[in-house]
Amino acid sequence: MDMEAQGTRAAVPPTAGRRRSTSGPHRLGPRPRLDYYLILDRPAGPDAVAEAIVVEEFVRATDWTTVGLRSAGWTPAGAGWWSSAAYSRAMRADPELRARVLPVARAEADAAHRRLGGAALPDEPVLRAGFHDDQALPVTAPLRLGPSAPDGYHERRTYRVLFAGDPLAHRLAELATRWQPTDGRSTADALPAGRRRVDDDRFAWTVRRVGRGLAWSLDLTVLLAGADDRTLGPLLHELTSAVRLCGLVPMTTERFD
């Protein structure tokens, strides 16, 4: 659903304001930074300018998979921040709208908010207070596809973060360089991949095209030394954010074991 459905690009979507929430057990603890997007007046390019801002946050189950998506949006002509699950879905499913979605860091969203006459961007607790129309995401049990954990490890997990859209080639190349393994095995045209050890837990990941080239994914393999998986969430958010800033829009985080 585009904002033009109301007769103007800056109108509030008709679903805004409904109160709906996701159900089931959610992951508790510190909340990561929100995801920020600019909605442009035309497909991304040198002449495009921002006409709206959208902020989002995924709701995660206890195993770090996604079970919901919360969002809020702002336009200069609006009466404040609105919330619309339908608009978040359209950002991923509608090719015309998705071409005008630009993932950005908070600093860029703040600068756009000021340029559009909104003064300083509200703090994140204030933005979260505008999340009213949550989108529930499908929840399925992990598929048992891979081998069990190797000796010395408690559990092996594999996650896939799916993304909509097409990345900016130069951003993807920069990310591949930043994540390049220290042994130098990456090549200049390689897709981003990396690995890390956090305490006694080990992580390895790669970015690839999936679905016959229709989508992108971040695939993360985790070897947990014990039952405590608290190292997983922050790294998963860090990696997802890095790929998002290449121009992609995250859709869901699935688990394959």
Side-chain angles (χ1 to χ4, degrees):
M1 179 186 307
D2 199 332
M3 285 185 285
E4 290 179 292
Q6 288 291 300
T8 171
R9 284 183 177 275
V12 177
T15 53
R18 290 185 302 167
R19 293 186 176 270
R20 181 173 58 195
S21 61
T22 55
S23 60
H26 298 166
R27 189 82 192 196
L28 302 177
R31 300 169 80 169
R33 297 290 297 269
L34 298 175
D35 294 337
Y36 295 85
Y37 299 91
L38 302 184
I39 308 301
L40 307 177
D41 64 342
R42 66 195 70 185
D47 297 325
V49 296
E51 63 177 12
I53 299 168
V54 173
V55 296
E56 293 185 337
E57 178 180 59
F58 282 98
V59 182
R60 295 191 179 272
T62 55
D63 66 349
W64 300 107
T65 55
T66 50
V67 296
L69 178 62
R70 296 168 174 157
S71 66
W74 179 87
T75 54
W81 288 82
W82 43 262
S83 184
S84 172
Y87 195 78
S88 286
R89 287 194 297 271
M91 285 172 54
R92 293 154 171 83
D94 182 339
E96 293 185 4
L97 175 58
R98 192 171 65 231
R100 298 193 289 115
V101 175
L102 180 64
V104 296
R106 178 181 167 88
E108 294 175 77
D110 178 68
H113 194 253
R114 294 171 187 268
R115 285 196 303 271
L116 293 171
L121 194 66
D123 293 337
E124 295 200 337
V126 177
L127 293 174
R128 285 190 174 97
F131 294 167
H132 299 306
D133 189 25
D134 296 356
Q135 176 184 343
L137 299 177
V139 178
T140 58
L143 296 175
R144 306 290 176 177
L145 301 177
S148 59
D151 291 343
Y153 287 91
H154 172 77
E155 185 180 7
R156 176 192 180 103
R157 298 183 190 176
T158 301
Y159 291 85
R160 168 164 287 180
V161 185
L162 286 172
F163 295 84
D166 293 303
L168 301 171
H170 70 283
R171 292 275 183 91
L172 209 60
E174 291 168 358
L175 187 59
T177 299
R178 191 161 78 243
W179 283 351
Q180 182 173 342
T182 56
D183 59 16
R185 288 184 296 175
S186 292
T187 61
D189 58 351
L191 290 173
R195 53 185 178 272
R196 187 181 302 177
R197 188 183 187 114
V198 181
D199 298 332
D200 293 326
D201 301 331
R202 291 170 54 192
F203 304 87
W205 62 88
T206 186
V207 175
R208 57 169 54 97
R209 296 210 75 156
V210 294
R212 298 182 180 179
L214 297 178
W216 288 79
S217 76
L218 166 69
D219 292 347
L220 172 66
T221 299
V222 185
L223 293 177
L224 294 173
D228 189 343
D229 67 353
R230 282 178 294 180
T231 60
L232 173 56
L235 181 63
L236 185 59
H237 180 75
E238 175 192 332
L239 300 178
T240 302
S241 296
V243 177
R244 187 185 72 87
L245 290 175
C246 291
L248 295 168
V249 182
M251 296 188 291
T252 187
T253 300
E254 304 169 331
R255 180 178 165 189
F256 306 89
D257 286 0

